[in-house]
Amino acid sequence: MEDLKYQIDLLTALNERLLASEKMYRHIAEMSGTLFAYFDYKCSPVKVDLVGPWDDMVGEKIANHPYDESYMLNLLLDEDQDKFRIHMLEIEREGSETDSVEVRSRNKRFWLSCLANVTYDDEHKPLEKIIAIKDITKIRMNSEELEYLAYYDSLTGVYNRNYFVRKFRDMCELADSEKVSVEIMFVDIDDFKKINDSIGLLFGDELVQEFGQYLKDFNNDETLVGRFGSDVFVIAVYNPCGSRSCDVIYRKIQERLRHPFTLTNKTEIMITVSCGVAEYPDAGRTALEVIKNAEIVLYKSKERGKGGIQYFELDILNKFIRNVSIEKQLKEAIETSGFQLYYQPQYNASDGKLRGAEALLRWPDPEGEGFITSPSEFIPIAEKNGAIIPIGNYVIKEALKTMSDWRNKYHIPMILSINISAMQLEKENFVDSLSREITLNGVNPESIEIEITESVFINNFEDVIDKIKTLRGLGIRVSLDDFGTGYSSLSYLKNLPIDTLKIDKSFIDTALKDDSSGIIYESVIQMARRLGFETVAEGVETKEQFNYLRERNIDIIQGYLLGKPISKVEFEKLLIRQVP
Ligand code: C2E
Ligand code: CA
Ligand code: CA
């Protein structure tokens, strides 16, 4: 009796322990987020035990359903049932985890990762089977998203930069083996900054999106479309021929751009785009080189105006490489003050007396005799990258120091003309710093003339006019340089508060050769006189030109005939001769 009670107690205790551990296992299964099904084939009918968060996964209480495989399958869309069954059979056979399977229920898409473990008897009949199913939909979705982001531009849906470059490289490799070429075209929205400023960043994005989606339609097996930057797209065409080429795409884009893009706020926007095209392997040895060169010619296309297309040319590349090298050397020259000023004399046409000089910048070669390059090449580069500001400051300081020296040494009344770039004049403190420098050097403001070109009026006419008026109020003279090369209309001249008009060399070069140019030259001189401006003829090289100009009452003559630009020391020799 005692024995039996002991046995019952022992069994109860064991049972309790079993129940407790079963509870623990169920708990663990629940927490793991994995669905388990245990099949016991030894029982008849087969006993199935479900463990894990089945209810959550299926979306209904399934504990009451007797589980069988068809129940599970019926939860899926008809067309996915076979797929799932085959997948399960495969993993039962393989006995290991295979790739996940994508299935759909009536209202959801799942990614399931499945495991199976089957034990067999000697006759290879299954004894037991455990399957484990994990819902990895979230992980899959994230990685799909990541995959998308890795390849595509999220704003427009075209390839992103990295992936485009990869695919373009592959294309070039294939082109090598098939002995064909690949074209690449940069497509860049003109004045995109201005558009952004006027419609706002958000609508700017929408515009890029609209345009990108339009370009995306060109994408196919032989044509890649990608986005490299805010408004920069690239299109590559494999083995261009016939109607399949960047040129044709360019023309189609032009056609599309005749109509505006309509944004969600109903704004209609017209845009133009500039394009640059280069071809592999003609325009570079590697895919990357060709991409770089297409970008370089894009900038050339922009320089030439909006809406254009520019094809790769070796000259453009060489010029670009030269400019980059000049830019680098300019930086060094600024740091080491490696510049110098030359002075070219100007004479009164009537009595041949020295009127003064124009200060002209020189860039001596520190290693050689001559100059690195002429200001007509390096000044435009300096104007583009902002280096003109420190360079211009040097010119002002140096010119005024020279004027101060000459004044103290020779006491000859003369005017020194200093070239001033638009960017310098636009600086807030330009007037103050120039007049401070004049005072500092004890120079008479009336002996200083600044030379500006018409380009200074492009951006903010009113502002510039105000500055010029202030300068003239201080006694400083203002001269309009290169007249005849820009927009030069005689009618706008009358509104300009200037003292001197410098007529460009190109005028005198043609005036003697052809009558109509001569007539224009004459009327410019007359008009300028009537408006009260002093006239200067630049680039006078021959006696014939000199006489012609004097007969037409030009005031001042500057040019190689009377004197080339010379160093300060050389110019002083000329001044000594002037001293009475
Ligand atoms: P620019 O202001 O029109 O200067 C006149 C240019 O014509 C000078 O060239 C001068 O040397 C050249 N020249 C003068 N007489 C003759 C002639 O009879 N025949 C020929 N063929 N040329 C003549 P340079 O010194 O090479 O300067 C070129 C341009 O670089 C200048 O044209 C000016 O735009 C710019 N530049 C020069 N120095 C400065 C500077 O200090 N500041 C700024 N912002 N620009 C400068
Ligand atoms: Ca000048
Ligand atoms: Ca000039």
Side-chain angles (χ1 to χ4, degrees):
M1 206 43 193
E2 274 294 297
D3 228 25
L4 190 67
K5 184 167 184 313
Y6 173 74
Q7 296 242 329
I8 290 170
D9 280 354
L10 190 66
L11 275 173
T12 317
L14 273 173
N15 199 30
E16 268 170 17
R17 254 176 73 185
L18 273 172
L19 283 173
S21 63
E22 190 192 321
K23 216 169 150 189
M24 186 177 84
Y25 287 128
R26 281 186 188 278
H27 210 67
I28 290 171
E30 202 79 37
M31 277 171 62
S32 76
T34 306
L35 313 177
F36 294 97
Y38 170 76
F39 299 79
D40 192 347
Y41 295 102
K42 296 183 299 289
C43 305
S44 176
V46 179
K47 185 173 170 266
V48 185
D49 218 348
L50 300 181
V51 188
W54 283 88
D55 295 354
D56 297 344
M57 164 90 177
V58 176
E60 55 181 281
K61 270 244 174 275
I62 64 157
N64 302 333
H65 289 275
Y67 180 84
D68 59 47
E69 269 156 300
S70 65
Y71 170 75
M72 177 78 197
L73 287 173
N74 281 333
L75 292 169
L76 304 176
L77 287 189
D78 293 348
E79 56 264 45
D80 282 359
Q81 291 183 5
D82 270 352
K83 181 176 169 188
F84 186 69
R85 198 184 0 243
I86 293 166
H87 182 76
M88 287 315 284
L89 279 173
E90 257 169 25
I91 61 164
E92 278 172 29
R93 234 192 347 262
E94 315 258 313
S96 63
E97 195 171 8
T98 57
D99 271 343
S100 51
V101 61
E102 183 192 9
V103 285
R104 289 157 302 167
S105 71
R106 264 158 282 286
N107 49 21
K108 227 177 134 183
R109 189 170 77 130
F110 294 99
W111 284 94
L112 301 177
S113 159
C114 310
L115 272 170
N117 191 311
V118 193
T119 49
Y120 300 95
D121 64 11
D122 295 343
E123 285 151 39
H124 207 71
K125 283 208 183 107
L127 291 171
E128 289 172 321
K129 179 170 83 180
I130 297 176
I131 59 172
I133 301 173
K134 197 167 169 70
D135 179 6
I136 55 159
T137 313
K138 273 215 185 92
I139 302 166
R140 248 335 256 248
M141 295 281 245
N142 280 344
S143 71
E144 257 180 27
E145 216 169 280
L146 284 177
E147 198 173 319
Y148 187 86
L149 287 178
Y151 297 145
Y152 297 94
D153 168 49
S154 55
L155 184 65
T156 60
V158 302
Y159 293 128
N160 66 22
R161 187 194 195 103
N162 280 339
Y163 195 59
F164 180 94
V165 171
R166 232 164 80 190
K167 290 203 79 145
F168 181 69
R169 264 204 194 122
D170 294 346
M171 262 191 178
C172 292
E173 249 172 50
L174 188 66
D176 279 341
S177 62
E178 296 192 338
K179 303 221 173 341
V180 296
S181 63
V182 188
E183 262 186 338
I184 180 166
M185 173 163 77
F186 270 73
V187 182
D188 185 301
I189 301 178
D190 293 323
D191 290 331
F192 184 64
K193 268 207 194 73
K194 270 195 206 146
I195 299 176
N196 250 344
D197 286 347
S198 75
I199 61 176
L201 284 178
L202 228 57
F203 290 115
D205 269 1
E206 202 186 326
L207 177 70
V208 170
Q209 190 170 40
E210 290 280 321
F211 182 54
Q213 276 164 5
Y214 161 74
L215 291 182
K216 197 178 164 200
D217 287 345
F218 289 108
N219 203 79
N220 59 39
D221 286 351
E222 282 127 356
T223 310
L224 303 177
V225 182
R227 178 169 170 238
F228 270 22
S230 73
D231 63 320
V232 187
F233 291 92
V234 276
I235 296 177
V237 177
Y238 185 78
N239 187 18
C241 59
S243 65
R244 193 179 66 226
S245 72
C246 284
D247 184 51
V248 170
I249 294 177
Y250 168 74
R251 274 185 274 140
K252 282 188 185 154
I253 295 172
Q254 294 304 313
E255 191 70 37
R256 167 63 188 85
L257 298 187
R258 291 213 188 111
H259 315 287
F261 287 98
T262 310
L263 305 181
T264 44
N265 67 350
K266 302 273 186 296
T267 320
E268 296 205 325
I269 301 226
M270 295 287 286
I271 58 167
T272 60
V273 299
S274 294
C275 298
V277 184
E279 195 172 305
Y280 176 89
D282 284 3
R285 278 162 314 197
T286 64
L288 282 181
E289 216 174 286
V290 174
I291 293 176
K292 198 187 74 207
N293 290 344
E295 191 175 8
I296 289 170
V297 295
L298 164 72
Y299 290 119
K300 186 75 198 173
S301 163
K302 292 241 168 207
E303 249 174 55
R304 293 202 167 145
K306 295 170 203 166
I309 183 166
Q310 173 68 55
Y311 291 88
F312 176 80
E313 283 167 21
L314 204 57
D315 279 355
I316 298 175
L317 179 65
N318 289 338
K319 180 99 197 296
F320 176 84
I321 292 170
R322 185 172 161 83
N323 282 2
V324 170
S325 136
I326 290 176
E327 241 183 301
K328 207 173 122 233
Q329 293 182 70
L330 262 182
K331 239 192 224 155
E332 287 161 19
I334 291 168
E335 277 159 19
T336 57
S337 335
F339 297 103
Q340 207 183 325
L341 279 188
Y342 265 37
Y343 302 88
Q344 184 177 31
Q346 298 175 331
Y347 294 94
N348 292 330
S350 55
D351 57 10
K353 270 191 155 165
L354 184 78
R355 184 250 195 184
E358 176 179 5
L360 292 161
L361 196 57
R362 291 296 176 262
W363 185 6
D365 187 344
E367 278 150 33
E369 283 281 285
F371 301 104
I372 290 187
T373 175
S374 97
S376 355
E377 182 172 27
F378 74 79
I379 293 281
I381 296 172
E383 283 175 336
K384 243 185 240 163
N385 73 4
I388 192 64
I389 299 296
I391 294 175
N393 287 341
Y394 158 80
V395 171
I396 291 173
K397 275 203 164 76
E398 181 66 19
L400 288 167
K401 198 170 140 273
T402 299
M403 261 315 252
S404 163
D405 287 353
W406 288 349
R407 197 186 98 117
N408 297 338
K409 280 194 198 159
Y410 309 106
H411 310 284
I412 300 167
M414 62 176 281
I415 293 166
L416 184 66
S417 304
I418 306 172
N419 291 287
I420 300 293
S421 288
M423 199 189 255
Q424 286 176 273
L425 194 62
E426 276 164 21
K427 280 259 158 190
E428 198 75 64
N429 61 355
F430 175 76
V431 175
D432 286 347
S433 63
L434 178 64
S435 73
R436 184 161 13 98
E437 211 58 51
I438 289 174
T439 317
L440 228 61
N441 284 285
V443 169
N444 179 3
E446 272 144 45
S447 66
I448 297 301
E449 180 172 73
I450 63 161
E451 291 193 7
I452 53 174
T453 57
E454 286 160 291
S455 62
V456 301
F457 298 110
I458 295 175
N459 283 340
N460 23 20
F461 188 81
E462 303 295 330
D463 239 35
V464 170
I465 295 284
D466 281 353
K467 276 189 182 162
I468 292 176
K469 282 183 178 160
T470 317
L471 286 167
R472 292 184 75 215
L474 295 168
I476 299 163
R477 303 172 62 92
V478 177
S479 166
L480 187 68
D481 201 357
D482 302 339
F483 183 78
T485 54
Y487 328 88
S488 311
S489 91
L490 283 171
S491 61
Y492 100 119
L493 265 185
K494 67 174 185 290
N495 299 320
L496 296 183
I498 54 167
D499 302 276
T500 310
L501 189 71
K502 283 189 93 168
I503 306 165
D504 193 71
K505 180 178 188 304
S506 57
F507 263 93
I508 191 64
D509 285 345
T510 48
L512 283 164
K513 287 185 202 131
D514 107 293
D515 285 348
S516 57
S517 301
I519 292 167
I520 298 173
Y521 207 132
E522 273 170 42
S523 56
V524 169
I525 298 173
Q526 278 170 21
M527 173 89 162
R529 297 193 124 243
R530 238 178 288 142
L531 290 168
F533 305 149
E534 197 181 25
T535 49
V536 181
E538 302 192 87
V540 179
E541 292 179 338
T542 65
K543 192 84 192 135
E544 201 190 358
Q545 289 174 336
F546 181 86
N547 290 333
Y548 173 92
L549 289 162
R550 200 165 51 176
E551 277 161 27
R552 276 151 192 86
N553 289 322
I554 197 100
D555 296 313
I556 293 142
I557 293 193
Q558 179 184 350
Y560 290 176
L561 175 73
L562 304 179
K564 288 193 171 180
I566 43 178
S567 69
K568 184 176 173 183
V569 176
E570 290 293 316
F571 201 89
E572 285 184 10
K573 290 180 190 160
L574 193 150
L575 284 176
I576 291 169
R577 268 185 268 133
Q578 301 283 319
V579 181

